[in-house]
Amino acid sequence: MTTTNTDAKTNTNTTAPAARTAPTAARPRALNYSRTTATAARVLRQLGHDPRTIALLLLIPCVMLFLLRYVFDGNPRVFDSIGASLLGIFPLITMFLVTSIATLRERTSGTLERLLSMPLGKGDLIAGYALAFGTLAIIQSALATGLAVWFLDLDVTGSPWLLLIVALLDALLGTALGLFVSAFASSEYQAVQFMPAVIFPQLLLCGLFTPRPDMHPALEAISNVLPMSYAVDGMNEVLLHTDMTADFVRDIAVVAGCALLVLTLGAATLRRRTT
């Protein structure tokens, strides 16, 4: 009897720690279509309750292009020379601002923490945000491109559809940059402060104001690694050539690759604010 009781106690003691250290459910790693689209739908519903944000996203680039056209009303060739470049720059800037502020709200309000405590991978979350803002970017780019080409008479040698592709990629790049920098701001004011650090240097060095080969060699070298430079180059390729060129393919590949890289970095920053 004594031996039996001892064995029972021994078995109880050896199995108890195993029960206490049972592995928890692993967080999903692979992208899941249903989780990603559910996240995108939630973000779009939230944006739908904020008409001012929708107006900023969809109307401001069009208004800026409209004003620019009639600022140079006496010299339409100036608008033709810079209008295509700004067609890509304006969506990038607006998507950067709106995405960084909207994502920061969810970080500071604890929404991201609650979402990541659910069976939702970081990839699903970032892809959902990118899909939601990317949907708005498609509408924004289509409106701005249609206005510039068919109503403001932007003289483009190539296909307007190529302009739309570059404008869309620029808007997606702005979305990716906004998602990324939101991790390093603690308030909406700080998110806006990142614009001079992230956007303005690219704006000055992208070749909009002067050809990049005419810059100081050090600045030209910096401009060669900035994605906005390739966005402007891609627009200029459409402006000057009737067909899709190898340089155009290179330019859009660089912009798309930078957007994907920044989105990946944005997924990595989620660990900074969540448990």
Side-chain angles (χ1 to χ4, degrees):
M1 293 296 293
T2 303
T3 303
T4 303
N5 292 336
T6 302
D7 292 340
K9 291 179 181 180
T10 302
N11 291 336
T12 303
N13 291 336
T14 56
T15 56
R20 287 196 298 266
T21 59
T24 57
R27 186 177 300 281
R29 294 178 179 272
L31 286 176
N32 179 274
Y33 176 79
S34 60
R35 294 193 298 259
T36 299
T37 53
T39 301
R42 180 187 62 80
V43 174
L44 288 173
R45 283 196 301 269
Q46 290 180 336
L47 289 173
H49 296 302
D50 190 353
R52 288 176 296 182
T53 299
I54 297 296
L56 176 64
L57 280 171
L58 303 183
L59 299 181
I60 292 300
C62 295
V63 172
M64 293 293 100
L65 287 170
F66 185 85
L67 290 176
L68 183 69
R69 168 63 181 83
Y70 290 103
V71 164
F72 297 107
D73 190 42
N75 192 0
R77 288 193 173 185
V78 176
F79 177 71
D80 291 336
S81 64
I82 67 173
S85 299
L86 292 176
L87 187 60
I89 292 174
F90 285 156
L92 190 154
I93 294 175
T94 55
M95 292 303 295
F96 172 82
L97 283 173
V98 172
T99 305
S100 60
I101 292 174
T103 309
L104 178 65
R105 288 178 182 173
E106 300 219 328
R107 288 181 184 269
T108 55
S109 66
T111 302
L112 287 180
E113 292 184 2
R114 292 192 294 271
L115 288 173
L116 288 175
S117 66
M118 302 168 61
L120 183 69
K122 293 190 295 183
D124 297 318
L125 192 63
I126 288 294
Y129 276 85
L131 179 61
F133 287 108
T135 301
L136 294 175
I138 293 173
I139 301 173
Q140 180 197 69
S141 301
L143 288 174
T145 303
L147 175 70
V149 174
W150 288 295
F151 291 94
L152 300 181
D153 297 324
L154 179 66
D155 188 12
V156 179
T157 302
S159 171
W161 293 106
L162 298 181
L163 280 183
L164 178 60
I165 290 174
V166 182
L168 175 58
L169 289 175
D170 292 343
L172 293 176
L173 176 61
T175 298
L177 290 171
L179 287 169
F180 177 66
V181 303
S182 67
F184 305 99
S186 58
S187 67
E188 295 179 12
Y189 178 68
Q190 286 186 3
V192 175
Q193 284 181 314
F194 273 103
M195 185 173 174
V198 176
I199 300 298
F200 285 179
Q202 297 192 66
L203 187 61
L204 292 174
L205 300 177
C206 68
L208 178 64
F209 301 104
T210 186
R212 291 193 287 128
D214 295 342
M215 299 178 184
H216 187 279
L219 295 180
E220 183 184 1
I222 295 174
S223 72
N224 288 335
V225 299
L226 297 177
M228 191 183 289
S229 300
Y230 294 91
V232 171
D233 288 349
M235 287 294 190
N236 289 332
E237 287 294 314
V238 180
L239 191 66
L240 300 175
H241 299 89
T242 56
D243 299 322
M244 184 184 299
T245 64
D247 288 340
F248 175 81
V249 175
R250 178 208 61 190
D251 294 333
I252 63 173
V254 170
V255 175
C258 289
L260 182 60
L261 174 62
V262 176
L263 281 176
T264 303
L265 294 175
T269 63
L270 291 179
R271 193 172 294 174
R272 298 178 68 251
R273 294 290 181 90
T274 57
T275 56

